[in-house]
Amino acid sequence: MSEDTSLKTTPLTGLWQGMGGRMVPFAGYLMPVQFPEGVMKEHVWTREKCGLFDVSHMGPAFLKLNDASLTGDAAHAAIAALVETILPCDVAGLAPGQLRYTTLPNATGGVLDDLFVGRPRADADQGTLYFVVNAGCKEQDFAIIAAACAGKATLTRADDRALIAVQGPKAVDAIGNVGDGPKRLGFMEFVTVKGPFGEVVVSRSGYTGEDGFEVLIAADKAEAFVRTLLATAHVKAIGLGARDSLRLEAGLCLYGHDLDETTSPIEAGLAWTIQKVRRERADFPGAARILKELVEKPARKRVGLLPKDKAPAREGAEIRNLAGEKVGMVTSGGYGPSVGGPIAIGYVDLAFATVGTELDLIVRDQPRRWVVAPLPFVPHNYHRKG
Amino acid sequence: MTTKYTKDHEWVSVSGDIATCGITAYAAEQLGDVVFVELPNVGRIVSQGDEVAVVESVKAASDVYAPVSGEVVDVNEALAETPEGVNEAAETTGWFTKLKLTDPAELDALMDRAAYDTYLAGL
């Protein structure tokens, strides 16, 4: 197999190749899908200790208000008003240092991407927002954000830096390497700190269901940072294979699979990402459909699925009711190493979305009995303050 | 007992007219952690190259092809409970099926160990 030279690399690609990472194309980047230990062990290690993931393919960016005369809360209010024309979450209401998970809806209430948006903590940084969007959507998202703010705010991409996720119950020990500040963060808070690896943006967030951090760091400091963490007893490099099984167990949506331009945030179970103040104002793209579904219930809903036997069902598997009629489709399916068996996420007609409902998933033309199960499959282990 | 190999990384070990079939250690390593194996019903007649079993890793499902034609006379039921047996001993206790050969001449076209090792070295 020849390596596709059109693939982009990250500041850590060489390190992963040297460590025996099995490199595969992912969203236009050459990324490690697994290391020699394999997905199963990497997954379990992350749940029990601390896994380190290269997520530099994703799209971090900063959006800064052009009008420098505005400061503090006024500056934040101004930048929030700009992006609330395209996002359905309460950006204005973000506390300094707070991060929110949200969607980028289209005019018909489908989802163009799911992303994080944050308000910096420092007084000097008010009027700036921090974004992290999906790798496969970043050109589109950045164009939409820039267009919504044209002439009023400037988007600066940060995807030339490295973005490193440090996830698991021991992540809080590992993060001490960039300074003490990040240890004091609560779930979905972030801070910019200066330390031995220069200026880094650290958020207490991730996509594994575990406590953890995501670190945005200069490209030329990334390898030294990663090597420092990997030299500690509890940290191992983990590939994208385990990242996917961890997020699936955590019941989190993978864009392009569990979310797409036809899926509404309500169908996806993401109503919680649209705060009350935005529902009342109903002023975001797709609000008509999204708010209607919120009141009247959507026609279909995202559910967890567990099998009665041991055969995994994969994305695309048809879901039928016990009368043999098609009632949905699997959008993510695989094996949950911490669950100890196959797990799947899919969309089913509302009448079949109740936990405990028995359904048939069609695997290689054979119906196999599965049961609608609550999400997440593995309890979240976030560090919530309070 | 002769053991032969296919380009799709199946092995077949022949004793009399019974061929024990499985996937090679190389294939198992490439698949990663095996979590499920779907085996054919005993009595099924397969032709060389037919999909005879499915092996699933955490990430994906892969077809396993019949290295030779024959009738399925036994399957490795132990893999239903312990699919990780494929990773542990792919070329011995991790076998998938036993086939009663219908065309032993098919074996001649398969690779011997030395040829398979050369083939692997070229991948």
Side-chain angles (χ1 to χ4, degrees):
Chain A
M1 255 184 293
S2 63
E3 225 161 70
D4 187 343
T5 48
S6 69
L7 289 172
K8 285 181 263 192
T9 56
T10 79
L12 298 166
T13 304
L15 176 63
W16 305 141
Q17 287 171 321
M19 288 173 57
R22 187 178 296 169
M23 309 302 287
V24 300
F26 184 82
Y29 285 78
L30 186 63
M31 302 297 290
V33 67
Q34 65 166 82
F35 289 90
E37 284 209 322
V39 176
M40 198 87 86
K41 287 200 175 88
E42 292 173 28
H43 176 116
V44 172
W45 182 271
T46 304
R47 289 252 183 269
E48 292 177 354
K49 305 274 174 69
C50 177
L52 185 150
F53 306 74
D54 184 5
V55 291
S56 306
H57 57 305
M58 296 189 73
F62 296 92
L63 182 72
K64 190 177 181 188
L65 205 59
N66 292 346
D67 183 354
S69 71
L70 291 174
T71 58
D73 288 347
H76 178 69
I79 192 98
L82 292 174
V83 300
E84 284 190 358
T85 62
I86 52 169
L87 300 178
C89 75
D90 179 16
V91 180
L94 284 169
Q98 188 187 359
L99 202 62
R100 270 195 172 129
Y101 173 72
T102 186
T103 59
L104 186 63
N106 61 24
T108 52
V111 177
L112 295 168
D113 197 10
D114 58 337
L115 62 145
F116 288 88
V117 57
R119 173 184 181 177
R121 177 186 287 180
D123 286 346
D125 292 335
Q126 298 307 301
T128 295
L129 294 173
Y130 177 44
F131 287 90
V132 181
V133 308
N134 275 306
C137 302
K138 60 187 177 183
E139 304 304 329
Q140 162 202 273
D141 293 9
F142 292 159
I144 291 171
I145 296 167
C149 304
K152 294 176 177 160
T154 304
L155 187 84
T156 306
R157 299 171 69 130
D159 58 345
D160 55 340
R161 305 186 204 176
L163 187 63
I164 297 153
V166 183
Q167 302 279 299
K170 300 285 186 192
V172 67
D173 300 330
I175 206 67
N177 285 290
V178 297
D180 282 338
K183 291 185 176 183
R184 294 191 287 268
L185 293 171
F187 181 56
M188 296 299 272
E189 291 178 348
F190 76 108
V191 67
T192 302
V193 291
K194 285 200 177 80
F197 302 100
E199 187 176 280
V200 297
V201 179
V202 185
S203 58
R204 197 153 199 170
S205 58
Y207 224 58
T208 60
E210 295 300 322
D211 182 23
F213 301 84
E214 288 168 302
V215 181
L216 182 68
I217 184 168
D220 62 356
K221 300 283 197 293
E223 184 167 333
F225 170 68
V226 169
R227 284 186 184 277
T228 301
L229 264 63
L230 292 178
T232 63
H234 296 307
V235 185
K236 280 188 184 175
I238 309 295
L240 293 181
R243 181 171 156 84
D244 189 51
S245 56
L246 288 158
R247 75 91 202 161
L248 181 55
E249 280 187 342
L252 302 171
C253 292
L254 179 62
Y255 190 79
H257 303 263
D258 310 302
L259 281 177
D260 62 29
E261 293 179 24
T262 68
T263 322
S264 81
I266 309 306
E267 291 174 329
L270 301 177
W272 61 272
T273 64
I274 307 168
Q275 285 75 29
K276 186 163 170 257
V277 60
R278 301 306 310 279
R279 295 179 191 186
E280 287 170 358
R281 291 213 318 262
D283 59 350
F284 50 87
R289 173 185 172 193
I290 290 169
L291 297 173
K292 184 167 184 275
E293 289 183 0
L294 201 55
V295 174
E296 296 176 10
K297 306 280 181 223
R300 55 180 190 151
K301 217 178 132 188
R302 187 171 67 96
V303 295
L305 296 156
L306 286 171
K308 293 266 194 181
D309 64 14
K310 296 189 166 189
R314 307 288 176 175
E315 180 179 359
E318 186 172 310
I319 304 174
R320 293 182 190 160
N321 63 17
L322 301 193
E325 297 156 332
K326 182 177 177 180
V327 297
M329 203 178 78
V330 172
T331 50
S332 282
Y335 185 88
S338 303
V339 170
I343 51 176
I345 285 175
Y347 282 82
V348 296
D349 295 347
L350 195 62
F352 301 94
T354 310
V355 168
T357 305
E358 296 201 356
L359 295 165
D360 282 334
L361 271 57
I362 310 305
V363 179
R364 291 179 285 279
D365 300 325
Q366 295 298 313
R368 289 188 180 266
R369 190 60 48 85
W370 287 58
V371 184
V372 175
L375 293 173
F377 296 105
V378 171
H380 292 162
N381 187 28
Y382 300 138
H383 181 73
R384 296 184 195 275
K385 281 183 174 173
Chain B
M1 185 132 67
T2 6
T3 303
K4 293 290 190 84
Y5 302 85
T6 73
K7 288 187 173 179
D8 294 318
H9 309 287
E10 288 101 12
W11 58 267
V12 50
S13 196
V14 180
S15 177
D17 63 350
I18 301 297
T20 304
C21 309
I23 65 169
T24 66
Y26 172 84
E29 200 272 329
Q30 288 295 308
L31 286 168
D33 306 298
V34 173
V35 298
F36 180 74
V37 177
E38 188 168 289
L39 297 165
N41 293 326
V42 169
R44 192 176 138 195
I45 310 291
V46 295
S47 299
Q48 187 178 39
D50 283 357
E51 293 162 12
V52 70
V54 176
V55 58
E56 302 220 25
S57 66
V58 176
K59 201 80 185 106
S62 306
D63 291 319
V64 178
Y65 304 103
V68 288
S69 303
E71 178 188 349
V72 179
V73 292
D74 197 6
V75 295
N76 190 354
E77 300 284 3
L79 296 182
E81 283 307 312
T82 54
E84 62 272 23
V86 177
N87 295 109
E88 287 158 9
E91 297 188 24
T92 54
T93 53
W95 62 277
F96 280 40
T97 55
K98 288 185 198 287
L99 304 177
K100 188 166 196 273
L101 291 172
T102 49
D103 185 3
E106 287 172 345
L107 290 162
D108 298 338
L110 302 181
M111 291 178 277
D112 63 15
R113 185 75 225 185
Y116 180 63
D117 286 340
T118 305
Y119 173 67
L120 288 183
L123 293 180

